[in-house]
């Protein structure tokens, strides 16, 4: 798998669940995001959103978020803005029957805040901001305003 996503092999994905069952396919989708062209990465992100992000989060979401942050910070990934948007979606989602999954997923998203700050700063300034900068700024706004029953009240 190379350096990017190298830690995925340490996760017991087959023991985790996503919206449709076993999360054993999640590493393949993350790999498609990492190395696919624009359309391939976009399709994989759409699939991941259905599996781990909307409308509910799962234990597979918690495991996937650190890898999503890794992808967001890797310049060769074709749809980094889409990755950041998926992280924003995860922050807004929950799981009524498993609030511990909700809290863990939201905390995992919040732990990537330094990456979002770096990406929001970017290299261009409005009105020429790039999609990664804009997506990072949206995520930071969501983090700053985040409040849900599963998460303790705190500011990032």
């Amino acid at each position: 798998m190379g350096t990017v996503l190298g830690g995925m092999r340490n996760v017991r994905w087959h023991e985790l669940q996503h919206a449709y069952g076993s999360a054993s396919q999640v590493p393949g989708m993350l790999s498609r995001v990492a190395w696919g062209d624009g359309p391939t990465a976009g399709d994989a992100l759409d699939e991941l959103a259905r599996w781990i992000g909307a409308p509910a989060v799962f234990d597979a979401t918690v495991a996937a978020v650190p890898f999503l942050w890794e992808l967001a910070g890797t310049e060769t990934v074709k749809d980094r803005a889409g990755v950041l948007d998926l992280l924003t979606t995860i922050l807004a989602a929950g799981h009524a029957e498993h609030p511990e999954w909700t809290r863990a997923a939201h905390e995992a998203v919040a732990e990537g805040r330094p990456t979002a700050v770096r990406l929001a700063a970017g290299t261009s300034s409005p009105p020429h901001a790039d999609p990664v900068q804009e997506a990072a700024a949206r995520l930071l706004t969501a983090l700053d305003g985040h409040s849900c029953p599963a998460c303790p009240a705190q500011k990032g």
Side-chain angles (χ1 to χ4, degrees):
M1 279 184 229
T3 304
V4 176
L5 303 179
M8 281 195 315
R9 67 180 161 269
N10 299 323
V11 177
R12 299 178 74 136
W13 294 100
H14 65 283
E15 294 178 4
L16 303 176
Q17 297 294 305
H18 62 56
Y20 302 102
S22 170
S24 60
Q25 310 93 342
V26 170
M29 287 295 127
L30 289 167
S31 293
R32 287 177 54 200
V33 174
W35 294 289
D37 59 15
T40 299
D43 289 347
L45 281 168
D46 289 346
E47 195 74 19
L48 280 170
R50 285 189 293 278
W51 289 356
I52 66 169
V57 297
F58 298 85
D59 56 355
T61 310
V62 178
V65 167
F67 299 109
L68 292 171
W69 275 118
E70 184 179 354
L71 294 172
T74 302
E75 290 187 24
T76 57
V77 171
K78 300 291 188 245
D79 194 359
R80 294 189 310 147
V83 173
L84 291 162
D85 287 339
L86 177 53
L87 288 163
T88 303
T89 297
I90 290 168
L91 187 65
H95 197 296
E97 294 176 23
H98 293 280
E100 70 278 10
W101 292 349
T102 302
R103 182 176 181 171
H106 294 177
E107 287 174 348
V109 172
E111 286 173 12
R113 182 182 185 82
T115 300
V117 169
R118 180 177 55 81
L119 294 173
T123 57
S124 61
S125 58
H128 305 291
D130 68 28
V132 172
Q133 257 184 296
E134 293 171 353
R138 284 191 300 272
L139 179 52
L140 287 170
T141 298
L143 283 165
D144 289 344
H146 181 69
S147 174
C148 77
C151 297
Q154 60 183 354
K155 284 291 176 189

